[in-house]
Amino acid sequence: MAELVDLRSDTVTRPTAAMREAMAQAEVGDDVYGEDPSINALESELAAMFGHAAAVFVPSGTMGNLVGLRLLCEPGDELLCDADAHIVTYEAGAAAVYGGIQTRTMVMARGLLTADVVEPQIRAAGYHAVATRGLSVEQTHNRGGGAVYPLAVLKELRALADAHSLRIHCDGARIWNAHIASGVDLDEYGALFDTLSVSLSKGLGAPVGSVILMKEPDREAAARELRHRLGGAMRQAGVLAAAGRYALTHHLTRLADDHRRARQLAEGIAAAAPDVVDVHAVETNMVVLDLTNAPVDTAGLDEACRGQGVLISALGLRRVRLVTHLDIDDEGVERAIGAITTTLRGE
Ligand SMILES: *Cc1c(COP(=O)(O)O)cnc(C)c1O
């Protein structure tokens, strides 16, 4: 049987031969002593890229988000975010359990906050009130189908945050996709956030790693202490940094290919089943299918596709997510369109 077409996530990629070679050649040292040259290079390159004062390598985006949120909020503080945010949906309650952070969530179209919805949720100060301290945005938005925050909306949120002394965290696991899709420079995004977590192991295709960035230099020591407390301080992690640095050089601009293939996937499905997918909603590397009026539900489509070597992921009982990435080529897109459309036509 032909190789699987795995559209479940952009995390399923495996390092290429050239990336493995870069990992094998990496200079390493003990990063707990601050002596891993590859980690140090990656951290300073990323800080410069986003115009931030410091960057700290962490094993996962989940840890990056927790460290970032704890730099903004103390236990007992409140964080405003959208109800579909990764930090409240997919991180096993980390902000609550390890951060003591109370989240207040808002249901937003495609997961994107707007200043007019956020403003009335900011609490007035008072000894018996919870202190609203932070705001978190997700760029691109995962459960929002890879939606990109328009720069103007982010600027309004920044102005609102400044007016109320709130700080902003960006869960930028896929900020790379936003940058490629919108053409907005990474440092322009960086300027809007106090802390920013970026992933090397999503679309960029590195096997492991995220980086937490911070605008204020005096937060770095706290970030390193938090990482250590969480068990995220590693030793010769330069082999991982080398994969990340390779990815930043070789896999960033190619994200445009993933975006093109996601559109082709959506168009191919829409040609057979127009009410299942909104082609115009495809902004980056994700396609969301709405099976409300389809002859199968998510489980049915999953099973039928699996039988044809195509893997998809569930967002709900009748909502499906398809993600393009480094290991999906044009032939894979065609095979996926074939498997999905034959199932939707009831063939
Ligand atoms: C994957 C993801 C994370 C978490 O990254 P892990 O490395 O899997 O912990 C955080 N935020 C978003 C939006 C993600 O898609």
Side-chain angles (χ1 to χ4, degrees):
M1 189 172 149
E3 224 185 302
L4 285 174
V5 179
D6 193 344
L7 296 168
R8 289 173 302 168
S9 177
D10 45 10
T11 54
V12 300
T13 58
R14 272 158 289 203
T16 61
M19 181 181 281
R20 287 171 193 258
E21 182 57 28
M23 296 171 76
Q25 300 297 333
E27 265 192 84
V28 296
D30 190 332
D31 185 45
V32 174
Y33 288 94
E35 291 173 2
D36 189 302
S38 301
I39 289 280
N40 293 341
L42 173 71
E43 290 177 345
S44 52
E45 284 160 11
L46 277 173
M49 211 180 267
F50 286 94
H52 274 219
V56 176
F57 184 78
V58 287
S60 69
T62 300
M63 191 182 289
N65 280 335
L66 180 59
V67 170
L69 295 179
R70 270 297 278 106
L71 293 180
L72 306 191
C73 300
E74 294 295 318
D77 286 345
E78 187 170 67
L79 176 80
L80 303 177
C81 64
D82 81 279
D84 261 335
H86 196 281
I87 55 171
V88 295
T89 307
Y90 293 126
E91 297 182 9
V97 176
Y98 302 119
I101 295 167
Q102 172 167 311
T103 48
R104 187 159 191 215
T105 61
M106 287 151 267
V107 176
M108 303 301 301
R110 310 199 72 209
L112 307 184
L113 297 169
T114 53
D116 61 320
V117 172
V118 171
E119 186 164 27
Q121 303 304 324
I122 301 170
R123 297 180 196 272
Y127 72 91
H128 58 327
V130 181
T132 309
R133 200 76 71 192
L135 184 65
S136 183
V137 297
E138 190 171 312
Q139 176 79 309
T140 65
H141 201 288
N142 184 341
R143 286 183 63 84
V148 179
Y149 263 101
L151 188 62
V153 172
L154 292 174
K155 285 183 171 167
E156 282 169 22
L157 290 169
R158 182 72 254 178
L160 179 69
D162 288 342
H164 294 272
S165 303
L166 302 187
R167 296 201 287 177
I168 306 186
H169 172 71
C170 177
D171 177 354
R174 295 190 181 82
I175 200 160
W176 318 110
N177 298 85
H179 160 62
I180 294 296
S182 68
V184 174
D185 286 339
L186 293 170
D187 61 353
E188 203 166 349
Y189 283 137
L192 296 167
F193 310 125
D194 298 280
T195 54
L196 166 64
S197 177
V198 301
S199 173
L200 303 168
S201 66
K202 296 272 165 80
L204 289 181
V208 178
S210 282
V211 173
I212 177 71
L213 296 130
M214 59 218 76
K215 220 191 276 178
E216 297 166 29
D218 62 352
R219 307 306 287 156
E220 182 178 351
R224 293 193 185 277
E225 184 185 40
L226 273 164
R227 178 185 68 167
H228 195 83
R229 185 176 294 137
L230 293 166
M234 294 179 284
R235 304 293 180 174
Q236 287 74 27
V239 287
L240 304 175
R245 295 177 76 200
Y246 179 90
L248 286 165
T249 308
H250 298 278
H251 294 169
L252 181 55
T253 53
R254 68 151 302 287
L255 291 173
D257 297 337
D258 296 346
H259 299 175
R260 169 179 60 78
R261 291 194 176 105
R263 268 195 310 278
Q264 284 167 351
L265 187 57
E267 283 162 5
I269 296 167
D275 58 343
V276 161
V277 57
D278 177 4
V279 176
H280 301 294
V282 179
E283 293 183 71
T284 54
N285 67 330
M286 295 187 186
V287 178
V288 175
L289 306 184
D290 175 359
L291 303 179
T292 307
N293 299 312
V296 285
D297 61 6
T298 298
L301 184 63
D302 181 70
E303 195 186 330
C305 285
R306 202 169 273 269
Q308 297 176 69
V310 175
L311 305 185
I312 63 175
S313 92
L315 283 183
L317 293 176
R318 288 190 167 269
R319 258 166 75 82
V320 166
R321 187 187 73 165
L322 312 170
V323 189
T324 55
H325 52 74
L326 195 55
D327 292 351
I328 298 293
D329 58 13
D330 292 331
E331 191 206 327
V333 168
E334 290 308 315
R335 278 183 56 206
I337 292 169
I340 291 165
T341 55
T342 50
T343 308
L344 292 177
R345 282 201 225 95
E347 289 167 11

